[in-house]
Amino acid sequence: MTTTEWITDIALLLVVFRQLREDRLDLKTFLIPLGIVAFVAHTYLDSVPTAGNDLVLIAALVGAGAVLGIAGGLYTRVRTAGEHILIKAGAVSAILWVLGMGARMGFQLWTEHGGGADDVARFSLAHHITSDQAWVAAFVLMALTEVVTRLATIFIRSRMLTAGQPAAAAHRVAARP
């Protein structure tokens, strides 16, 4: 793994650990993780292979990312305090986040340094996965999906909280950085 890969993987892990302490839901809550995965996608996602069973692999990992992201968003506490919306990642949310991000990091370490490259090559051949890029695309899209679905779930839950507030109060909550 390159230094950049270590930094981005650790940064994504730290995103949820930052949320173990309750804090205001604001623009940076969304922009920091989205910025990290956008950087990763731009850096590593050259193409989305469609030959053989590449799309099946990609769909499976994207599905796993969606499940982890939605569950992580549901296990993040979202509440109002006055005019502010506060969020706090719970233990389950943190475990799911580490599971998703850690699985990708572990897979990469295993294939690069743990002797797993031959096993992945045999699996790919047996299951008609046509290239290394299919694995890269699957894991990058899994991370992107996990981040986006977690944030979308938190956003929807925050809007549900403010739905019962008078329109002026809801607008003030949404407009604050």
Side-chain angles (χ1 to χ4, degrees):
M1 287 179 62
T2 67
T3 303
T4 302
E5 291 168 337
W6 276 106
I7 291 169
T8 54
D9 285 346
I10 290 169
L12 282 169
L13 287 171
L14 292 176
V15 165
V16 82
F17 288 125
R18 187 180 134 254
Q19 292 176 359
L20 289 173
R21 192 185 82 229
E22 188 172 58
D23 200 7
R24 282 180 43 184
L25 179 66
D26 57 18
L27 196 55
K28 73 177 183 255
T29 305
F30 298 98
L31 291 182
I32 291 171
L34 288 173
I36 294 169
V37 295
F39 169 78
V40 170
H42 175 72
T43 303
Y44 299 104
L45 192 60
D46 298 326
S47 65
V48 177
T50 59
N53 284 328
D54 294 354
L55 287 178
V56 174
L57 171 69
I58 292 166
L61 291 184
V62 164
V67 168
L68 290 169
I70 292 168
L74 291 174
Y75 282 100
T76 297
R77 185 173 69 187
V78 180
R79 69 180 187 93
T80 58
E83 294 182 351
H84 304 292
I85 298 174
L86 303 175
I87 63 168
K88 180 180 181 183
V92 172
S93 181
I95 289 168
L96 292 171
W97 188 262
V98 170
L99 179 68
M101 298 301 161
R104 284 184 290 281
M105 188 185 302
F107 181 83
Q108 188 171 4
L109 286 171
W110 176 62
T111 57
E112 289 180 6
H113 306 291
D118 290 340
D119 292 330
V120 172
R122 281 190 295 277
F123 179 90
S124 296
L125 185 62
H127 293 90
H128 308 289
I129 297 167
T130 63
S131 69
D132 292 346
Q133 184 59 31
W135 288 98
V136 171
F139 278 113
V140 168
L141 292 172
M142 178 187 178
L144 179 67
T145 303
E146 183 175 359
V147 169
V148 169
T149 56
R150 182 176 184 275
L151 292 174
T153 303
I154 291 169
F155 178 79
I156 291 167
R157 292 181 63 219
S158 73
R159 293 298 152 241
M160 290 169 57
L161 281 177
T162 59
Q165 295 180 0
H171 177 67
R172 281 195 309 271
V173 170
R176 289 231 167 128

